[in-house]
Amino acid sequence: MAEEKEMEEVQEKVYPAPQHSHEEVVRERLVFMDSLRRFHSSMATKFMIPVIGGKELDLHLLYVEVTRRGGLAKVIEEKKWREVIAAFKFPPTTTSASFVLRRYYLSLLHHYEQAYYFRTQGPLIPPAASSQTRTPPSKLDHSVVVSDSTMQTPKSRKRCLPEPQNKGPYNFTVTGSIDGKFEYGYMVTVKIGSEILRGVLYHVQQPSAAASSSLAAVVSAAHEASNERCTAAMARTRRRRRRGWRSRDPAHPKPNRSAYNFFFAEKHSKLKVLYPHREREFSKMIGESWNKLNEEERMVYQNYGLKDKERYKREMQEYKERLKLVQPKEMAGAEPSKAASEEVKGVSADGH
């Protein structure tokens, strides 16, 4: 009943109209990421950038490498998945890249590929059977679940799996070995025909939809808490800087700004209006825009910087001249005070 309900919900959904052409999203990474977020938002599906080995997975590179070979189904059919993996330059210890990338492509990019690459309209198209994990369902009942922990080479001694293996509906024999054991299952190597697959065999059953939703909520809450901590730390830093400036002479001239400072301030105000929830990406976006400026465009901001430098020199010269006038007066006011103090001491000593 649950599967039938899920199928009905999928059939009710339709692909949203693409906001950009395939060529645009391939050429511009920022356009791709923005359109991918909007796509998942319109589809009411969860979207989070996966992390592999402590680094965010480059979804743009994954989409480009797969679509340039004709899409996921064609990549798998023509056995070009290894070419896709090679573009990521994973370390030699990575043993489950095929599982990881295919799983993330199916969950995050399959429907996006249908809308932006194939220009599909209407009801959603489920992934082809060849796109799924090719492990026969009658063999690995507990599902091969891939996580970052499988990206390490097991050090435990190998033990053979029970033989012989029964043949499943795909009509080929499966053999394999156990590479390591942990609390909930085994790390295994499985040979299906000429293809060797590595992954994790769990004892526990596949989590229910409610458990998956709960896990996603926990991950989302942790992500938001991390963002709040970063924001609080930045606010504390800004407060410390303001206190430092207050302790200085308020009449001291304001330091001059460089050409890039002027460009940054101008772009930042515009990006804040366009993308109010993406401030952490502003520095990178502004840096890329600055690198794309030609000499004539950059000269405008360099002129701003030169004028501000002249302003700073002029104000500093005036400031130093004011200090020279003020210091003699202060010293003159301090000397009589000192003499008067000595006179008082002398009177006290004589008793007069």
Side-chain angles (χ1 to χ4, degrees):
M1 291 295 292
E3 292 180 0
E4 292 178 0
K5 185 177 180 181
E6 184 177 353
M7 287 297 295
E8 289 176 1
E9 291 178 354
V10 170
Q11 290 175 356
E12 288 176 0
K13 290 185 178 181
V14 295
Y15 285 112
Q19 303 296 314
H20 305 277
S21 66
H22 171 70
E23 290 74 18
E24 285 179 304
V25 298
V26 166
R27 185 173 59 252
E28 297 289 342
R29 185 178 184 279
L30 292 177
V31 173
F32 167 81
M33 293 303 299
D34 184 64
S35 62
L36 182 60
R37 286 190 180 91
R38 292 175 183 272
F39 180 82
H40 280 279
S41 176
S42 63
M43 295 278 290
T45 51
K46 295 282 186 181
F47 174 72
M48 290 183 67
I49 300 177
V51 177
I52 300 178
K55 296 182 180 179
E56 290 187 347
L57 176 62
D58 190 342
L59 294 174
H60 182 243
L61 177 60
L62 180 58
Y63 176 77
V64 170
E65 291 297 325
V66 171
T67 54
R68 69 183 290 204
R69 292 172 174 82
L72 180 62
K74 194 170 184 180
V75 166
I76 295 174
E77 181 183 349
E78 297 181 359
K79 298 182 179 179
K80 293 183 178 180
W81 195 248
R82 295 192 179 208
E83 297 178 14
V84 175
I85 298 173
F88 288 84
K89 300 180 181 178
F90 288 124
T93 55
T94 302
T95 58
S96 303
S98 177
F99 283 104
V100 173
L101 294 187
R102 191 181 304 183
R103 177 71 57 94
Y104 286 140
Y105 197 96
L106 286 171
S107 62
L108 298 174
L109 296 173
H110 165 71
H111 290 303
Y112 182 87
E113 173 191 282
Q114 294 295 324
Y116 278 78
Y117 181 63
F118 291 108
R119 295 289 163 171
T120 304
Q121 298 178 355
L124 303 188
I125 298 178
S130 61
S131 301
Q132 306 295 337
T133 303
R134 301 173 72 180
T135 305
S138 61
K139 301 295 132 252
L140 302 180
D141 291 335
H142 303 293
S143 303
V144 175
V145 181
V146 180
S147 65
D148 289 348
S149 62
T150 65
M151 305 294 283
Q152 300 176 357
T153 304
K155 297 183 180 179
S156 305
R157 64 186 182 85
K158 293 187 176 182
R159 293 184 295 170
C160 293
L161 290 172
E163 292 189 274
Q165 297 283 350
N166 296 326
K167 291 186 177 182
Y170 291 87
N171 296 324
F172 46 72
T173 303
V174 178
T175 59
S177 61
I178 298 176
D179 300 329
K181 182 180 179 181
F182 58 100
E183 184 178 359
Y184 298 109
Y186 301 92
M187 301 179 70
V188 298
T189 300
V190 180
K191 186 175 181 181
I192 304 174
S194 61
E195 187 174 3
I196 297 176
L197 305 174
R198 295 179 177 86
V200 177
L201 179 62
Y202 278 92
H203 287 308
V204 295
Q205 294 183 352
Q206 188 75 8
S208 63
S212 300
S213 301
S214 177
L215 178 60
V218 171
V219 173
S220 178
H223 185 66
E224 291 177 1
S226 176
N227 288 342
E228 289 176 0
R229 286 195 295 271
C230 291
T231 304
M234 292 173 64
R236 287 194 297 270
T237 302
R238 285 195 290 267
R239 285 197 295 270
R240 284 197 295 269
R241 287 176 180 173
R242 284 199 293 268
R243 284 197 295 269
W245 273 100
R246 287 195 209 99
S247 63
R248 300 180 186 178
D249 183 358
H252 192 284
K254 185 179 179 181
N256 63 294
R257 296 191 293 172
S258 65
Y260 183 74
N261 291 146
F262 282 100
F263 179 79
F264 188 95
E266 180 182 307
K267 286 292 182 182
H268 189 278
S269 60
K270 294 179 180 179
L271 290 173
K272 197 168 184 179
V273 175
L274 295 173
Y275 310 105
H277 303 297
R278 296 174 57 187
E279 290 193 14
R280 295 178 65 184
E281 302 177 31
F282 286 179
S283 296
K284 183 178 179 181
M285 295 166 69
I286 294 172
E288 292 175 352
S289 299
W290 173 260
N291 292 332
K292 292 178 182 179
L293 294 180
N294 57 39
E295 290 298 326
E296 184 178 351
E297 292 170 333
R298 192 170 295 188
M299 184 62 67
V300 175
Y301 299 98
Q302 289 175 348
N303 290 335
Y304 292 159
L306 291 174
K307 290 180 181 179
D308 200 46
K309 188 174 183 180
E310 293 173 0
R311 185 271 311 164
Y312 178 67
K313 287 182 178 179
R314 182 178 65 256
E315 292 182 358
M316 274 300 297
Q317 185 176 357
E318 296 173 355
Y319 175 74
K320 289 178 180 179
E321 289 175 358
R322 288 197 300 271
L323 286 181
K324 290 178 182 178
L325 295 174
V326 172
Q327 286 176 354
K329 293 180 181 179
E330 292 179 349
M331 293 180 65
E335 286 177 359
S337 256
K338 184 177 179 183
S341 176
E342 290 177 354
E343 184 178 348
V344 169
K345 287 181 181 177
V347 171
S348 299
D350 293 340
H352 298 294

